[in-house]
Amino acid sequence: MSATTQTTSDTLSTAGGPPLRRDPNDTQPHGARWWREIGWRHIVGVVAIVYALIPILYVVSASFNPIGSVSATNLIPTQFSLTHYESLFNDPNRPYARWYLNTIIVAVVVVSAQVFFSALAAYAFSRFRFRGRRGGLLTLLLVQMFPQFLAVVALFQLFSSVGEVFPAFGLDTLAGYILLLLGGSLGQVWLIKGFFDSVPKELDEAAKIDGAGHAQVYFQIILPLVRPILAVTGLIAFVSVIGEFLLASIFLRETAVKTLAVGMYTVLDGDRSNNLGWFAAAAVLASIPVVLLFQYLQKYIVGGITAGAVKG
Amino acid sequence: MSHTTQSDPPRAVRGGAGTTRVLPLLARVLGIGIIAALAVMVTPALVAQERWGFLAVFWGVVALLLAVYATKRAVPAKYLLPGVLFLSLLVVYPILMTFQLSTTNYGDGTRTSKEVTVNKIIASAAFQEANARRFTLAVGTEGTVDAGPYTFFLVDQATGDAFAGTEDGLTDLPADATVTDGAVTEVPGYTMLTKQQINTLSNTGGPLEGFTIPTGDNTVIVAQGFQAIELTSPLVYDQANDTFTDTRTGTVYTPQRSGDRSYFTDSEGNRLSSQSWGESVGFDNYKRIFTDPRISKNFLGIFAWTVVFAVGSVALTFLLGLVLAVVLNESRMRGQKVYRSILLLPYAIPGFISLMVWSSFYNTDFGLINNLLGTHVNWLGSTALARSAVLLTNLWMGFPYMFLVATGALQAVPSELKEAASIDGASGFTHFRKITFPLVLVSVAPLLVASFAFNFNNFNAIQLLTEGGPFSASDPTAGGTDILISYTYRLAFGTSAQQIGFASAISVILFILTGVLAAIQFRGTRVLEDVN
């Protein structure tokens, strides 16, 4: 997904920030004309904000409401307490902190590996001309179109037998689940190749004349230049890894190895009426870092999603 | 690899880089060394368990790593190999394996091989003759205690002769085994199970339940507590003709296919046993999808809803996103940044959390929706309402994405076009419909197709909201909001009888459909031209 996306991401790169192409002749209209031309837009905007915010406010409110059942929850909190937040950390049957940690471990390992291996492959495709390059790129594009989880049945069989031989990587192990997700190691090749292509080749050639080998060119010249972009690519991948549910629900069945997605689902599914307080607090704590990250990286993310990343 | 050291004259001359070269070399040697050491370490265990596939993969990987990293040739391969290995072993191979599974009837009730099933049938009718052999039993495993494979170690209580028995048959006890007080206590290479473990594993559903050692055409050895006895059966299996004969009545049973399973059946259609076995069924699973009326009705209904769901999700989110983008994309408006930041929120919250939160909103008794509307509706109780609920949720989750996309596309529309149109006297809406909208649509089309493909397999949106429900009382396999992937998931991993082979066949169909979507996406973008 690159040619179009490459061009779109160029043209859209201002979308994240405010459009500052303000015509100097424009002045703010007043009175009735303001309402006709500008004011009604604010009304639509406010309605949209209400639609976007109600569910979020409800959950935040429920997380602070000491009464755990749903019936007592209102949009505007009438009472305030941190009971639910405390209960996240003192119930051994639903070890929220453990699940949080598991999720971070999985996401950090998988995303680092994905960005590292993708960047390696992208370098080869961007800088070398070799037999099978075109075919390789197309095959990659094709294979990438098939989500790994479509093969879930086979993956389950595969890891059942892996577990018989190497119990450390079998079902119900974080290591096995991480290994499984490493199947997506080349997931970012196309995106990163686009960035590599934009680094002038003269830089490599100059370095090669100075006696640098291909690995030095890669690690010491190109990689540092694209590091910020790799970070953003990684963060987008991060969000999709922590949201992975299908494979996790099959591979991680024991409490101690669950990720947030499956762990929270188990709790909610167990008793939908009385776990809402716990669940709301869990949802708030899990969302805050991701939401902050999104706001902070808004303009890069807009570039990234228009380049074809679809968040799960 | 000695020639890569600094003493190699041409390389040393090439750059004062001699000092930095030690590190990559070290990394390479260490990397290959660790993998090779690992392969050496696991080899004995793999050989002992006869896991030839794993063994081949391990040593194949080592050979590839050596070929690529220990030489100076194939530079691009050095960068491609790690990712390609993961991709081949964990994505491509499982895809091929899915196809292979789809031609079998593997699932609950067919997990055992035909041989084992035959032995079990013999054992099920077998009885103990007066002079039957009795053995003291010990159980060992070359693998893990919980998964086997298991071997019975038997000592004949009358003669003292000792044997090792598996589901393949009886052999002599290994010479280096220890027999103490008429029982096998230790066998090198085997982990011996404790009595408690034997008990647990022999429970209903455990791996030792019904463990049967064939000793002849109609004799088997089975466990009885911590003893084993030889039983004789009136049912005789004839391997050459693949038939069972009941020696009491003379009835002959032959394997007959029913659905995706085979059973030993007599000429009048009576089954000898309800036990079936795993076997290849060719394309029968695919035929069943389209010919078995109940399955094809489910399948076609689910397929139709999958398309509606994906189209509906994309259309609704795009429509709302576009409207908001058009309305809010006005440079004279104050607070645009604030609007954008807040509207981004539903997109920023991890999807699985939003879905679970929304699923609780639809609760009949205390859900937010009934709460706000003052109603008491079971939103997820009827198919139509549940489907609307799924779409409404997906709209909330997806419109910010489309809002951002559409805003970007709108800002990319050249301003000359707007001026030209207003000179021609076009009204605001006509101008939008005739000029802006088509331009926006062209630039976002690939993203819409990508979004469609994503929603086509959007398992989370269904599973976390409705779990595929509501279900009709008569059919627990296909729910009202099921899309193909959630249907497959339930067939393979649901609580009712698992149908791995059949689920794989549906997965393969999903692969094909996804491939078609990908092809459309390729055509719509210039991606293929970008390859060079």
Side-chain angles (χ1 to χ4, degrees):
Chain A
M1 33 193 70
S2 26
T4 5
T5 48
Q6 207 51 45
T7 46
T8 23
S9 76
D10 290 343
T11 47
L12 297 186
S13 55
T14 56
L20 291 173
R21 284 181 267 139
R22 197 165 284 182
D23 187 337
N25 297 328
D26 267 2
T27 46
Q28 284 284 346
H30 295 283
R33 208 176 134 229
W34 182 84
W35 273 108
R36 206 170 59 240
E37 289 182 12
I38 312 279
W40 67 275
R41 294 173 190 269
H42 282 291
I43 295 176
V44 175
V46 168
V47 170
I49 282 180
V50 168
Y51 174 60
L53 281 188
I54 282 187
I56 299 171
L57 286 180
Y58 177 80
V59 172
V60 173
S61 156
S63 77
F64 291 115
N65 192 328
I67 304 164
S69 77
V70 206
S71 52
T73 305
N74 293 308
L75 268 185
I76 312 298
T78 44
Q79 289 169 289
F80 179 86
S81 121
L82 292 176
T83 333
H84 298 312
Y85 288 91
E86 284 161 16
S87 75
L88 290 181
F89 299 99
N90 53 24
D91 185 347
N93 291 325
R94 23 170 115 154
Y96 184 73
R98 173 85 240 175
W99 294 341
Y100 213 105
L101 185 68
N102 287 347
T103 308
I104 290 174
I105 292 172
V106 169
V108 166
V109 176
V110 171
V111 170
S112 318
Q114 197 179 41
V115 171
F116 180 71
F117 292 136
S118 289
L120 280 181
Y123 177 63
F125 283 125
S126 171
R127 287 304 196 264
F128 299 114
R129 291 294 174 270
F130 50 94
R131 204 153 44 91
R133 174 175 172 277
R134 191 186 148 85
L137 268 173
L138 288 178
T139 312
L140 202 56
L141 193 62
L142 186 74
V143 173
Q144 226 85 91
M145 287 291 167
F146 300 104
Q148 191 188 17
F149 61 72
L150 285 189
V152 58
V153 178
L155 287 166
F156 181 78
Q157 305 285 331
L158 181 63
F159 276 81
S160 305
S161 48
V162 167
E164 284 167 21
V165 185
F166 309 105
F169 289 92
L171 301 170
D172 281 322
T173 63
L174 270 192
Y177 181 59
I178 288 172
L179 179 66
L180 165 76
L181 294 187
L182 287 185
S185 282
L186 294 183
Q188 314 286 343
V189 169
W190 275 86
L191 205 60
I192 297 176
K193 175 183 169 285
F195 298 129
F196 281 169
D197 286 344
S198 66
V199 176
K201 281 201 173 161
E202 288 75 23
L203 278 179
D204 324 13
E205 275 149 25
K208 275 185 189 150
I209 290 167
D210 289 346
H214 57 86
Q216 275 174 311
V217 170
Y218 174 70
F219 283 108
Q220 289 170 13
I221 298 183
I222 300 202
L223 217 47
L225 280 178
V226 296
R227 202 181 287 151
I229 291 162
L230 290 188
V232 174
T233 314
L235 288 169
I236 295 174
F238 190 87
V239 175
S240 85
V241 171
I242 63 170
E244 203 292 311
F245 177 78
L246 200 170
L247 294 170
S249 71
I250 294 184
F251 278 70
L252 307 173
R253 296 161 305 188
E254 275 170 23
T255 306
V257 294
K258 282 184 168 154
T259 57
L260 277 177
V262 272
M264 285 170 65
Y265 181 70
T266 325
V267 172
L268 186 71
D269 207 36
D271 180 352
R272 285 183 182 264
S273 315
N274 294 315
N275 285 331
L276 192 86
W278 184 96
F279 177 78
V284 169
L285 278 196
S287 303
I288 285 177
V290 186
V291 170
L292 289 180
L293 222 56
F294 256 74
Q295 295 291 352
Y296 176 65
L297 296 167
Q298 222 189 93
K299 66 172 181 230
Y300 300 106
I301 284 165
V302 173
I305 58 176
T306 48
V310 184
K311 192 197 76 159
Chain B
M1 281 192 288
S2 60
H3 65 281
T4 60
T5 54
Q6 292 172 46
S7 62
D8 192 357
R11 300 196 64 80
V13 171
R14 261 215 277 157
T19 44
T20 56
R21 265 178 213 295
V22 180
L23 195 67
L25 176 69
L26 203 67
R28 235 185 316 165
V29 172
L30 267 179
I32 301 177
I34 289 174
I35 304 277
L38 209 65
V40 171
M41 261 169 54
V42 299
T43 300
L46 290 178
V47 170
Q49 294 184 39
E50 303 184 358
R51 301 278 185 168
W52 309 124
F54 279 109
L55 198 66
V57 167
F58 246 94
W59 283 103
V61 167
V62 171
L64 267 174
L65 288 175
L66 275 176
V68 169
Y69 291 105
T71 62
K72 290 252 160 259
R73 284 171 297 131
V75 173
K78 293 188 203 311
Y79 290 89
L80 292 171
L81 188 65
V84 169
L85 276 180
F86 281 121
L87 189 72
S88 334
L89 294 177
L90 296 165
V91 178
V92 177
Y93 172 67
I95 290 178
L96 299 178
M97 197 173 152
T98 306
F99 183 75
Q100 191 267 325
L101 275 171
S102 77
T103 61
T104 69
N105 64 352
Y106 194 72
D108 275 354
T110 54
R111 280 175 209 277
T112 48
S113 70
K114 185 168 184 181
E115 235 183 325
V116 172
T117 308
V118 163
N119 293 334
K120 285 187 175 168
I121 292 176
I122 294 174
S124 66
F127 57 89
Q128 189 181 347
E129 288 196 357
N131 57 352
R133 291 195 282 174
R134 275 183 171 277
F135 306 89
T136 310
L137 172 68
V139 183
T141 174
E142 287 172 293
T144 62
V145 168
D146 291 325
Y150 303 101
T151 306
F152 277 16
F153 296 108
L154 307 163
V155 180
D156 191 318
Q157 290 176 349
T159 64
D161 292 339
F163 305 95
T166 65
E167 296 200 314
D168 295 329
L170 207 58
T171 53
D172 285 338
L173 187 71
D176 48 1
T178 317
V179 182
T180 322
D181 296 337
V184 178
T185 49
E186 205 179 311
V187 185
Y190 289 83
T191 313
M192 301 304 285
L193 273 59
T194 64
K195 291 201 164 179
Q196 197 184 349
Q197 284 167 337
I198 297 175
N199 244 337
T200 316
L201 296 170
S202 307
N203 285 340
T204 313
L208 279 180
E209 188 205 5
F211 193 90
T212 309
I213 303 164
T215 50
D217 276 350
N218 65 338
T219 51
V220 291
I221 294 176
V222 295
Q224 218 173 48
F226 301 115
Q227 293 191 347
I229 48 169
E230 187 164 46
L231 303 177
T232 311
S233 176
L235 300 174
V236 180
Y237 179 65
D238 178 350
Q239 195 141 20
N241 296 320
D242 194 18
T243 56
F244 259 113
T245 310
D246 190 330
T247 49
R248 292 166 299 192
T249 60
T251 318
V252 176
Y253 297 86
T254 52
Q256 302 285 334
R257 179 74 61 77
S258 159
D260 63 344
R261 284 153 199 226
S262 302
Y263 302 92
F264 282 104
T265 314
D266 69 10
S267 53
E268 285 161 15
N270 299 316
R271 285 177 194 167
L272 175 61
S273 156
S274 60
Q275 298 213 49
S276 184
W277 55 90
E279 64 183 345
S280 170
V281 296
F283 288 94
D284 276 11
N285 284 325
Y286 298 93
K287 280 188 210 144
R288 273 172 78 207
I289 295 175
F290 298 104
T291 54
D292 183 327
R294 212 180 91 174
I295 293 172
S296 65
K297 185 169 154 273
N298 280 345
F299 177 81
L300 293 176
I302 289 169
F303 174 67
W305 162 242
T306 308
V307 174
V308 170
F309 165 73
V311 171
S313 296
V314 175
L316 290 175
T317 52
F318 181 61
L319 204 68
L320 182 57
L322 182 66
V323 167
L324 286 177
V326 170
V327 170
L328 297 180
N329 187 35
E330 161 59 68
S331 54
R332 290 171 299 173
M333 224 178 132
R334 286 182 212 277
Q336 272 188 310
K337 203 173 179 178
V338 178
Y339 282 118
R340 191 166 296 152
S341 294
I342 296 180
L343 290 180
L344 187 69
L345 278 177
Y347 180 64
I349 293 174
F352 73 95
I353 290 180
S354 306
L355 286 162
M356 289 188 233
V357 166
W358 275 83
S359 78
S360 71
F361 288 173
Y362 295 116
N363 188 299
T364 316
D365 298 318
F366 353 80
L368 174 72
I369 306 219
N370 279 337
N371 207 334
L372 288 178
L373 301 177
T375 49
H376 194 266
V377 177
N378 186 3
W379 292 98
L380 303 181
S382 86
T383 297
L385 280 178
R387 287 180 172 182
S388 325
V390 168
L391 283 174
L392 181 69
T393 308
N394 229 9
L395 173 64
W396 185 82
M397 290 178 62
F399 85 90
Y401 169 78
M402 292 297 182
F403 168 67
L404 294 175
V405 166
T407 303
L410 278 176
Q411 291 178 344
V413 173
S415 50
E416 300 82 51
L417 282 178
K418 293 178 193 163
E419 284 159 24
S422 45
I423 289 168
D424 289 347
S427 76
F429 184 70
T430 315
H431 168 252
F432 175 79
R433 189 168 57 88
K434 293 231 161 119
I435 295 171
T436 316
F437 183 67
L439 281 173
V440 167
L441 205 56
V442 167
S443 72
V444 302
L447 298 179
L448 295 188
V449 179
S451 178
F452 177 82
F454 171 78
N455 278 304
F456 196 83
N457 290 319
N458 195 347
F459 174 79
N460 285 13
I462 303 300
Q463 181 70 17
L464 295 181
L465 263 185
T466 64
E467 296 181 341
F471 296 94
S472 67
S474 58
D475 188 359
T477 55
T481 53
D482 255 332
I483 57 175
L484 287 173
I485 179 72
S486 64
Y487 176 55
T488 311
Y489 179 89
R490 186 165 328 95
L491 286 174
F493 303 104
T495 43
S496 57
Q498 301 184 346
Q499 308 181 49
I500 304 278
F502 183 60
S504 302
I506 298 191
S507 295
V508 170
I509 293 182
L510 261 180
F511 275 116
I512 294 169
L513 291 171
T514 308
V516 171
L517 286 176
I520 296 173
Q521 206 172 336
F522 282 177
R523 281 178 67 109
T525 65
R526 290 179 307 153
V527 71
L528 298 183
E529 297 162 28
D530 192 46
V531 165
N532 289 315

